[in-house]
Amino acid sequence: MHCLAPHFLLLPLPTASRHALPQNQGPAFPLLLPSRAAPFHLASARSPSRAAAPVSDDDEDEEVDEEDDDDEVGIRDADDEDYDEYEEGEEADEEEVDDESGSEYDEEAAEEVDERKDSAARRRESEEYKSRRVAKLVAEVREFGEDVIDYNELAGIYDFPVDKFQRLAIQAFLRGSSVVVSAPTSSGKTLIAEAAAVATVARGRRLFYTTPLKALSNQKFRDFRNTFGDHNVGLLTGDSAINKDAQILIMTTEILRNMLYQSVGMTTSEGRMFQVDVIVLDEVHYLSDISRGTVWEETVIYCPKEVQLICLSATVANPDELAGWISQIHGKTELVTSNKRPVPLTWHFSKKFALLPLLDGKGKKMNRKLRMSHLQNSSSAKSEFYYVKGKRKLRGNKNEQGNRSPLDISKQVQLSKHELSNMRRSQVPLIRDTLSQLWENDMLPAIWFIFSRRGCDAAVEYLEDCRLLHDFEASEVELELKKFKMQYPDAVRESAVKGLLRGVAAHHAGCLPLWKSFIEELFQRGLVKVVFATETLAAGINMPARTAVISSLSKRIDAGRQLLTTNELFQMAGRAGRRGIDTVGHAVLVQTPYEGPEECCDIIFAGLEPLVSQFTASYGMVLNLLAGSKVTHQKEPDGVKVKRSGRTLEEARKLVEQSFGNYVGSNVMVAAKEELERIEKEIKHLSSEITDESIDRKCREELSEEDYSEISLLQKRLKEEKQIRNELKRRMELERMAAWKNRLEEFESGHLPFMCLQYKDKDSVQHTIPAVFIGNLNSFADQKIANMVEDDSLGSGKEKFDSGEQIYCPSYYVALSSDNSWYVFTEKWIKTVYKTGLPNVPSVEGGPLPRETLKQLLLREEMMWDKLAKSEYGSLLSMDGSLDTWSWSLNVPVLNSLSEDDEVERFSEEHQDAVECYKQQRRKVSQLKKTIKCTKGFKEFQKIIDMRNFTKEKIERLEARSRRLTRRLKQIEPTGWKEFLQISKVIQEARALDINTQVIYPLGETAAAIRGENELWLAMVLRNKVLLGLKPSQLAAVCGSLVSEGIKLRPWKNSSYVYEPSSVVTGVISYLEEQRHSLIDLQERHGVKVPCEIDAQFAGMVEAWASGLTWREIMMDSAMDDGDLARLLRRTIDLLAQIPKLPDIDPVLQKNAQMACSVMDRVPISELAG
């Protein structure tokens, strides 16, 4: 997690703090060009700009985190003298330095521009050469026949040598095989598809190219048109098409899957599917995507066997299984793999004062200079603080360090986890620190991954006063921006313009697609030096850079915080290194308060993850596989004509069970089940050996009768005394909590006391948390947090405990910690409360009290709580604070600055009595253990007990192995068919399809033809007569309410304004809500968990756009991001565009849908604009 400082200049670090990389020397001119509006100087060490706020690494819908910056301020304060000296020595010569270096800047800048122009010229020449060679090959094939097509001809269309893996894949394709290619990101896999397209076009045949993203489809569409000409390339989207009969047709994989539904079961005699010969599945590793992976599996399963498949995947652990599966269900398939990158990748690690290699010289393990022990023992060019036992100590210089003896080093204090965290925190770099390191080492342009939209925007905003562009580059950007603004005035992201003119930009789902395309174009031309992006940019968009920076190793998901997988990390790092431009690519990982180089190496060396099947049944799948004849009304007396041509359930089962998961399972399941059975038998046998009866029998055998009787009697007494001890310990804990409960009631009014919370993590490491007490959860006006903690998934319920004379019920409280995190806790987790605290007086006369202010700030947060610890007395929950709470957290003192005299006396007489009783009983148990050790037969008895303990440990290891195997078996168990049957029962009961006769009814016809997450629900809505009375804009609003899943308001926006839907729309949605509940009940009865959505929250925004409001009007003070609204409107247009094509839909509704669609599909959301 990076830190940001507001309104700063990026300036050169002091010479002593620079760490140049050996492979690249930085430019001679200053680190970053100074702003023309400000003098070139070093910021004062005590400047307010040092109060830094870190960028959130939460998911893109999350708030920005804040971090306590005391550590960073402390480090800089220690070097005030050095900085002052630097300023005094340099300021006098500033003008002279500027004069001397000005011409050097110009020369360097001119060289950079010339290099960029040369690179662009080379790319144009290469494209023109390729286009000419393709046209020539096509002409030769028409003249001489298909025999002229061979590998040499296809490789000859490129003006550079083809890599080995590309050659092998092309040769496999020419042999008529399907091909699976697994190679690193940016290694040139698209060349294989391009060569296949050349051969296909030359033969006069047809190729489909599929991608996982619309943006990637649009990019491929542009690229292929440059090579093959406009007339040979088409694009098919959900709501429109360009040249759909072209030889090369580009689309998303979902569209191809839906096309295949229509042709499932066609034989060769009925005609080839759309006359297609080759299908390219780009980014086929999406097969593991939880929400969309099933689309890739279904595409392979339904694809006619005479069609060649080219599957392009990033590096995964099991490409052989993927190729084997496709070979088994589709036809001969060859596997081509490569682990070699055309541009080698180097890993780096960024700390506050240094950019160091992450790995050693061999790349096999972590660089020893990054180890925590080295951080303690060695000195750096900058003096740094580190924490030992809560006190900051200044690191010595090199000479002092060099004079230390090995004995001194061996006596170094072992740091606790909390102290190590403090040391790590002191090493966290600001954004400008890392950016300075990149500039010094000539590692720009860079893509900087931050897992938060707000984090990306904040990074750009904080760098607005920096200049990464020379004057003529800035002028070029300004010119391009003017052209863009003239063409798409509403698509300009005004808040990003200032940063763009300085060479930095953001790229995430909150931006309009047109704006993102504009940023991509500028970046590829070298006019944007740093793009702050969310991880979606790593998903195949052709936007390579010299460097990829990954700001954090973890990201926020719905269930909490999750570490990146190795595959995700390599996918992002793979963006680094531009083929033909860079000799090496750089992946930079960054120190955060929670993740250091050890965690980075753990992920890098963890090994790639395998592809995992995500195959799931859907309404569309079941209807299209089982549908036979349609119910058509005829004039004949029988009235109904039935044509039986659908699949039987058994035939459908054979098709469904061809999933990738079942293929993997068939190879693994047998061996895993055999091992699981063996483990269970061994556990059962070992468990029988450690029962009380078994131990008793062994004691009788090994001990004399006299010794046995003595030890047996003492063991019985020991067991009874331990039970008493445990009960007393429980009572002591309850009395302690009851005492805290009484004391905390006193603090509900008056000042906000400081306190210390404590807990042990899963590794039994003790953590202490300084915080300020806010109040009881029940004192909040809004009880949404109280309701959350009563949920078993977060905290304990309102359980009552008998503490002897009275019944005790734990309560939940709220505190804000010094690291800007919220904590919800019970009395269980309190260590100390202090008499001192924050005064509960308003900052301005008549203003709100601090306690009420903090309560309101908490209620404004998105409730994304993490459970740190749990017990029978309640859980300890934590959540990151926001920018608004950051200043409050800075006023929470460190624990060692509070004395014991400040502690509140919390011991009640009952608690002290309970403690004394517990201590007496513990001494009694200890004395009894000593008595047993002194018995005559104890030595033999101890051997039996040791053997039992050893057996217990073995059982635990076997059980852990058993759990892993069981989880693996659950993953590979064929579950697709069970879900298929459950959905078929819903369809039968909803009268969409008769499973027995395979007759499909009108509702089923509509549902089978529609695309969406819950096709049956969409069909029910669109066939409802209540929609016939709606105007086109009102119909659009209702459709928007069906597809708004995942669209959210942005709480950090200045206004929470959205358009409200009209009363007519609100009434229709309320009516449909009742039908929705009926379908949900039907689904629940049959165990179906397909989402069934309708949400009126954003219907008014859709209605406003469909009514003709301009983009500027609709987005004025809007609480939505541009990209979110654009995505919602595109989804709505996609659904509206389907309505005229659906069977058995009222013509009035179809006409209104066409009218709404034509009004809505306009700039700046028009998908094909530009």
Side-chain angles (χ1 to χ4, degrees):
M1 184 185 302
H2 271 81
C3 298
L4 295 173
H7 311 303
F8 53 72
L9 287 171
L10 279 176
L11 302 168
L13 297 173
T15 305
S17 70
R18 297 185 185 179
H19 295 259
L21 297 178
Q23 57 267 42
N24 285 309
Q25 299 298 324
F29 50 87
L31 180 60
L32 293 175
L33 296 175
S35 170
R36 285 171 289 187
F40 183 53
H41 67 280
L42 280 170
S44 169
R46 292 188 174 88
S47 168
S49 69
R50 293 296 302 170
V55 177
S56 168
D57 59 351
D58 297 347
D59 72 356
E60 60 182 12
D61 293 326
E62 289 303 307
E63 295 280 339
V64 172
D65 295 336
E66 297 292 330
E67 289 295 340
D68 182 7
D69 198 43
D70 290 345
D71 298 358
E72 297 171 20
V73 174
I75 291 173
R76 185 54 56 89
D77 286 344
D79 297 311
D80 278 353
E81 188 175 334
D82 295 340
Y83 273 74
D84 292 341
E85 182 180 346
Y86 180 89
E87 291 177 7
E88 291 169 6
E90 295 295 334
E91 283 178 359
D93 300 328
E94 185 178 306
E95 184 176 349
E96 181 182 349
V97 170
D98 287 345
D99 292 340
E100 291 176 354
S101 58
S103 60
E104 188 177 349
Y105 299 162
D106 293 339
E107 292 175 7
E108 292 280 356
E111 289 178 7
E112 184 178 335
V113 172
D114 291 342
E115 182 181 345
R116 180 158 51 82
K117 289 181 178 179
D118 291 344
S119 177
R122 286 196 300 271
R123 283 198 300 273
R124 285 195 300 270
E125 291 173 4
S126 179
E127 287 295 328
E128 291 170 1
Y129 175 83
K130 181 169 61 176
S131 182
R132 290 195 303 269
R133 292 290 299 172
V134 169
K136 180 180 177 183
L137 180 58
V138 171
E140 289 177 352
V141 171
R142 288 175 180 171
E143 183 176 355
F144 302 110
E146 296 182 12
D147 293 341
V148 302
I149 300 176
D150 58 14
Y151 165 73
N152 291 327
E153 287 290 340
L154 294 178
I157 68 175
Y158 301 101
D159 56 357
F160 55 84
V162 174
D163 289 342
K164 180 180 178 181
F165 85 93
Q166 295 168 332
R167 171 175 59 82
L168 294 174
I170 294 171
Q171 289 172 338
F173 167 76
L174 292 175
R175 288 193 291 269
S177 302
S178 292
V179 188
V180 171
V181 181
S182 176
T185 302
S186 300
S187 60
K189 295 186 289 292
T190 303
L191 180 145
I192 298 164
E194 198 173 55
V198 172
T200 304
V201 169
R203 291 166 177 164
R205 296 174 187 168
R206 205 167 185 213
L207 175 143
F208 286 176
Y209 191 110
T210 72
T211 74
L213 305 171
K214 284 185 179 180
L216 188 53
S217 293
N218 291 335
Q219 186 179 83
K220 296 298 180 186
F221 175 62
R222 293 191 294 268
D223 294 344
F224 274 71
R225 283 209 300 187
N226 290 337
T227 301
F228 296 95
D230 295 357
H231 63 288
N232 281 325
V233 184
L235 178 66
L236 194 60
T237 66
D239 49 9
S240 58
I242 295 178
N243 198 15
K244 64 180 180 180
D245 296 321
Q247 286 183 274
I248 301 173
L249 189 59
I250 297 169
M251 65 193 78
T252 59
T253 316
E254 278 86 352
I255 290 179
L256 176 59
R257 188 272 309 268
N258 294 326
M259 292 169 65
L260 289 170
Y261 274 153
Q262 303 168 23
S263 66
V264 168
M266 286 179 60
T267 60
T268 307
S269 60
E270 294 172 319
R272 297 172 68 88
M273 181 198 73
F274 314 110
Q275 300 301 313
V276 66
D277 290 81
V278 182
I279 292 178
V280 178
L281 298 177
D282 200 357
E283 309 288 339
V284 77
H285 52 268
Y286 265 74
L287 184 144
S288 283
D289 186 83
I290 293 176
S291 59
R292 300 174 60 202
T294 185
V295 176
W296 277 260
E297 289 192 60
E298 290 182 63
T299 301
V300 174
I301 292 171
Y302 305 148
C303 183
K305 294 189 177 182
E306 62 270 16
V307 175
Q308 275 183 278
L309 289 175
I310 298 177
C311 302
L312 307 178
S313 169
T315 46
V316 292
N318 58 340
D320 52 332
E321 290 183 333
L322 177 64
W325 170 61
I326 296 176
S327 183
Q328 178 175 296
I329 68 169
H330 184 75
K332 184 181 178 183
T333 304
E334 298 186 40
L335 172 64
V336 177
T337 62
S338 173
N339 294 318
K340 182 181 178 182
R341 287 175 48 91
V343 180
L345 185 66
T346 303
W347 295 89
H348 309 273
F349 191 75
S350 175
K351 299 165 65 177
K352 179 176 281 291
F353 296 113
L355 180 68
L356 299 173
L358 176 62
L359 307 178
D360 63 3
K362 297 182 179 179
K364 299 297 184 183
K365 57 184 179 180
M366 188 176 76
N367 179 4
R368 64 183 181 84
K369 292 184 179 180
L370 291 172
R371 293 176 185 166
M372 193 58 68
S373 58
H374 188 274
L375 185 61
Q376 291 176 253
N377 293 334
S378 67
S379 111
S380 66
K382 290 286 298 176
S383 295
E384 300 175 12
F385 284 109
Y386 66 103
Y387 284 74
V388 178
K389 294 185 177 179
K391 296 182 179 179
R392 290 191 297 179
K393 297 188 177 181
L394 184 63
R395 192 188 299 279
N397 60 36
K398 282 188 178 180
N399 293 332
E400 292 172 349
Q401 188 72 25
N403 294 331
R404 291 176 61 188
S405 69
L407 184 59
D408 293 332
I409 296 176
S410 66
K411 290 181 180 179
Q412 184 175 353
V413 178
Q414 182 67 35
L415 300 183
S416 70
K417 190 170 183 178
H418 182 65
E419 290 163 345
L420 290 176
S421 176
N422 282 335
M423 183 182 289
R424 279 184 170 181
R425 192 180 298 275
S426 71
Q427 298 293 316
V428 174
L430 303 176
I431 286 269
R432 63 174 177 177
D433 295 330
T434 302
L435 186 52
S436 299
Q437 294 160 1
L438 299 183
W439 184 285
E440 281 187 313
N441 292 285
D442 194 21
M443 292 166 66
L444 297 180
I447 298 175
W448 202 308
F449 290 103
I450 298 176
F451 305 119
S452 157
R453 296 184 193 180
R454 192 180 177 193
C456 294
D457 291 337
V460 173
E461 179 183 347
Y462 285 125
L463 294 181
E464 282 180 349
D465 292 331
C466 309
R467 282 180 55 200
L468 299 177
L469 300 178
H470 296 282
D471 289 344
F472 38 85
E473 289 178 315
S475 300
E476 194 172 346
V477 172
E478 193 170 2
L479 178 62
E480 293 298 324
L481 188 61
K482 286 181 180 178
K483 292 179 182 177
F484 182 82
K485 196 168 187 176
M486 289 177 63
Q487 191 172 6
Y488 310 115
D490 289 337
V492 176
R493 190 176 172 87
E494 295 293 347
S495 61
V497 168
K498 187 176 179 181
L500 188 62
L501 294 173
R502 301 303 179 111
V504 293
H507 187 293
H508 53 69
C511 305
L512 282 171
L514 281 172
W515 180 256
K516 289 195 289 186
S517 298
F518 179 58
I519 296 300
E520 291 166 14
E521 180 185 349
L522 293 180
F523 188 81
Q524 290 167 1
R525 290 171 56 184
L527 297 176
V528 173
K529 303 301 182 184
V530 178
V531 168
F532 293 95
T534 53
E535 62 181 319
T536 52
L537 187 60
I541 300 295
N542 183 24
M543 197 171 158
R546 179 169 295 169
T547 300
V549 181
I550 295 92
S551 64
S552 174
L553 292 181
S554 61
K555 57 183 177 179
R556 176 77 69 177
I557 59 172
D558 291 341
R561 190 175 294 279
Q562 174 180 286
L563 278 175
L564 297 177
T565 65
T566 305
N567 294 31
E568 289 171 332
L569 179 62
F570 276 83
Q571 183 83 359
M572 287 182 281
R575 293 291 108 194
R578 298 164 296 179
R579 188 166 187 163
I581 301 176
D582 300 321
T583 57
V584 64
H586 305 282
V588 178
L589 302 175
V590 182
Q591 175 76 59
T592 75
Y594 316 106
E595 301 142 358
E598 297 86 358
E599 289 78 8
C600 296
C601 291
D602 287 345
I603 295 180
I604 290 173
F605 295 128
L608 294 169
E609 293 185 331
L611 291 175
V612 178
S613 173
Q614 302 295 343
F615 187 85
T616 53
S618 65
Y619 288 110
M621 177 197 296
V622 175
L623 286 166
N624 282 287
L625 291 185
L626 295 182
S629 61
K630 301 176 182 179
V631 175
T632 54
H633 296 282
Q634 304 288 343
K635 293 182 180 179
E636 290 85 12
D638 356 340
V640 178
K641 182 180 179 182
V642 178
K643 180 184 177 184
R644 300 176 183 275
S645 61
R647 281 181 175 76
T648 65
L649 282 175
E650 186 57 34
E651 290 171 335
R653 177 171 186 159
K654 290 180 180 178
L655 199 63
V656 169
E657 291 191 346
Q658 289 182 350
S659 72
F660 178 60
N662 288 341
Y663 170 80
V664 174
S666 63
N667 296 335
V668 176
M669 198 179 299
V670 175
K673 283 184 174 179
E674 288 177 355
E675 184 177 0
L676 191 59
E677 186 178 346
R678 180 186 61 78
I679 289 174
E680 289 173 350
K681 286 181 179 179
E682 188 171 0
I683 290 175
K684 185 177 180 181
H685 171 69
L686 293 174
S687 298
S688 66
E689 294 184 352
I690 60 172
T691 61
D692 290 343
E693 294 79 7
S694 178
I695 297 299
D696 185 68
R697 185 178 62 254
K698 290 179 181 178
C699 288
R700 287 180 182 274
E701 293 172 356
E702 299 295 332
L703 301 175
S704 65
E705 187 173 344
E706 181 182 351
D707 293 342
Y708 169 78
S709 299
E710 183 182 14
I711 289 180
S712 178
L713 182 61
L714 290 173
Q715 280 292 115
K716 184 177 179 181
R717 279 184 57 197
L718 179 62
K719 186 176 181 180
E720 293 170 351
E721 298 296 340
K722 281 183 176 180
Q723 289 177 345
I724 297 173
R725 180 195 63 183
N726 293 339
E727 285 298 323
L728 290 173
K729 183 179 181 180
R730 176 184 171 86
R731 181 184 162 223
M732 178 182 68
E733 181 66 11
L734 289 172
E735 293 293 354
R736 184 186 74 85
M737 292 190 294
W740 275 129
K741 186 182 183 75
N742 294 332
R743 295 313 303 265
L744 291 178
E745 289 176 357
E746 302 171 8
F747 293 112
E748 287 297 325
S749 59
H751 76 289
L752 284 67
F754 299 128
M755 65 189 314
C756 176
L757 304 176
Q758 65 177 0
Y759 74 97
K760 288 185 178 180
D761 60 21
K762 62 182 180 180
D763 298 321
S764 296
V765 177
Q766 184 84 26
H767 295 269
T768 55
I769 305 162
V772 59
F773 178 75
I774 308 299
N776 193 303
L777 211 51
N778 293 326
S779 67
F780 281 62
D782 190 332
Q783 290 293 297
K784 64 180 180 180
I785 307 177
N787 295 334
M788 287 176 65
V789 298
E790 288 180 10
D791 187 338
D792 290 338
S793 64
L794 281 178
S796 295
K798 301 274 187 180
E799 190 172 354
K800 297 181 179 180
F801 302 93
D802 187 351
S803 63
E805 298 179 359
Q806 59 182 355
I807 300 297
Y808 164 72
C809 178
S811 296
Y812 275 94
Y813 306 89
V814 176
L816 179 68
S817 69
S818 61
D819 65 349
N820 195 30
S821 295
W822 292 104
Y823 286 89
V824 170
F825 56 93
T826 61
E827 299 87 354
K828 160 73 179 175
W829 311 104
I830 301 174
K831 179 181 180 183
T832 310
V833 178
Y834 297 94
K835 299 172 186 176
T836 58
L838 301 178
N840 193 32
V841 294
S843 55
V844 294
E845 187 175 351
L849 296 174
R851 178 175 277 108
E852 296 306 316
T853 300
L854 287 167
K855 287 181 179 180
Q856 290 302 316
L857 290 175
L858 174 57
L859 292 173
R860 231 186 284 166
E861 302 274 5
E862 291 188 30
M863 298 300 163
M864 301 294 291
W865 295 94
D866 294 324
K867 185 185 291 186
L868 299 180
K870 62 180 179 179
S871 77
E872 60 178 324
Y873 308 119
S875 298
L876 175 65
L877 309 174
S878 174
M879 178 179 70
D880 295 330
S882 65
L883 189 63
D884 297 323
T885 58
W886 175 55
S887 59
W888 292 90
S889 68
L890 293 177
N891 289 306
V892 178
V894 294
L895 294 176
N896 61 356
S897 66
L898 297 169
S899 66
E900 293 184 2
D901 296 335
D902 294 326
E903 295 181 12
V904 172
E905 182 61 44
R906 80 274 189 184
F907 297 114
S908 64
E909 187 175 340
E910 292 83 359
H911 178 244
Q912 291 174 345
D913 291 343
V915 171
E916 189 59 36
C917 291
Y918 172 71
K919 288 180 178 179
Q920 291 178 5
Q921 185 62 24
R922 191 171 60 179
R923 286 194 292 268
K924 195 171 182 180
V925 169
S926 178
Q927 186 60 45
L928 196 52
K929 286 181 179 179
K930 291 178 180 178
T931 303
I932 293 175
K933 288 182 179 180
C934 294
T935 58
K936 186 178 178 182
F938 176 75
K939 190 173 182 181
E940 292 300 323
F941 174 73
Q942 186 63 44
K943 289 180 181 178
I944 296 172
I945 298 303
D946 288 344
M947 183 55 67
R948 183 187 65 178
N949 294 337
F950 175 78
T951 304
K952 281 184 177 180
E953 292 175 1
K954 187 174 182 180
I955 290 174
E956 289 174 0
R957 291 194 298 270
L958 289 172
E959 287 175 340
R961 172 64 176 161
S962 176
R963 287 192 296 270
R964 288 195 297 271
L965 282 173
T966 303
R967 283 197 299 270
R968 177 62 173 153
L969 285 172
K970 285 181 179 178
Q971 291 175 346
I972 60 180
E973 279 283 3
T975 57
W977 181 243
K978 179 182 177 182
E979 296 167 355
F980 191 96
L981 289 178
Q982 290 170 333
I983 288 177
S984 66
K985 291 175 183 176
V986 174
I987 288 174
Q988 174 94 358
E989 197 166 330
R991 296 291 292 169
L993 177 75
D994 189 312
I995 301 298
N996 299 317
T997 63
Q998 287 126 17
V999 175
I1000 187 168
Y1001 297 105
L1003 175 61
E1005 289 184 58
T1006 305
I1010 207 166
R1011 298 189 312 276
E1013 190 165 19
N1014 189 322
E1015 301 91 340
L1016 182 61
W1017 167 236
L1018 293 177
M1020 286 179 168
V1021 172
L1022 297 179
R1023 294 180 59 80
N1024 198 304
K1025 300 302 180 184
V1026 73
L1027 300 185
L1028 298 182
L1030 298 179
K1031 298 176 182 178
S1033 60
Q1034 294 169 340
L1035 174 62
V1038 174
C1039 289
S1041 70
L1042 298 170
V1043 294
S1044 61
E1045 184 183 6
I1047 305 296
K1048 296 181 181 180
L1049 295 175
R1050 300 296 160 185
W1052 58 81
K1053 290 272 190 173
N1054 294 330
S1055 169
S1056 57
Y1057 175 79
V1058 292
Y1059 280 90
E1060 294 292 331
S1062 62
S1063 58
V1064 174
V1065 172
T1066 304
V1068 170
I1069 292 176
S1070 299
Y1071 171 76
L1072 294 173
E1073 185 72 34
E1074 298 175 7
Q1075 293 194 343
R1076 171 177 168 269
H1077 287 302
S1078 299
L1079 179 57
I1080 289 176
D1081 292 340
L1082 177 58
Q1083 289 188 160
E1084 288 178 349
R1085 284 203 302 273
H1086 296 290
V1088 174
K1089 298 179 180 178
V1090 182
C1092 186
E1093 302 292 338
I1094 188 167
D1095 184 359
Q1097 184 178 20
F1098 303 107
M1101 299 292 282
V1102 177
E1103 188 175 8
W1105 180 252
S1107 298
L1109 265 69
T1110 66
W1111 186 260
R1112 198 173 298 275
E1113 289 172 333
I1114 202 172
M1115 288 305 298
M1116 187 177 297
D1117 296 328
S1118 172
M1120 299 180 70
D1121 277 345
D1122 294 15
D1124 281 336
L1125 180 56
R1127 191 159 60 255
L1128 173 61
L1129 296 177
R1130 290 292 343 154
R1131 290 180 189 173
T1132 306
I1133 292 171
D1134 181 56
L1135 181 56
L1136 289 168
Q1138 293 183 62
I1139 294 176
K1141 306 170 189 175
L1142 297 177
D1144 204 49
I1145 293 292
D1146 193 291
V1148 173
L1149 189 69
Q1150 292 179 326
K1151 182 179 178 181
N1152 285 339
Q1154 280 182 319
M1155 293 173 62
C1157 195
S1158 62
V1159 171
M1160 293 180 66
D1161 194 10
R1162 64 185 191 272
V1163 175
I1165 68 158
S1166 179
E1167 192 170 275
L1168 304 177

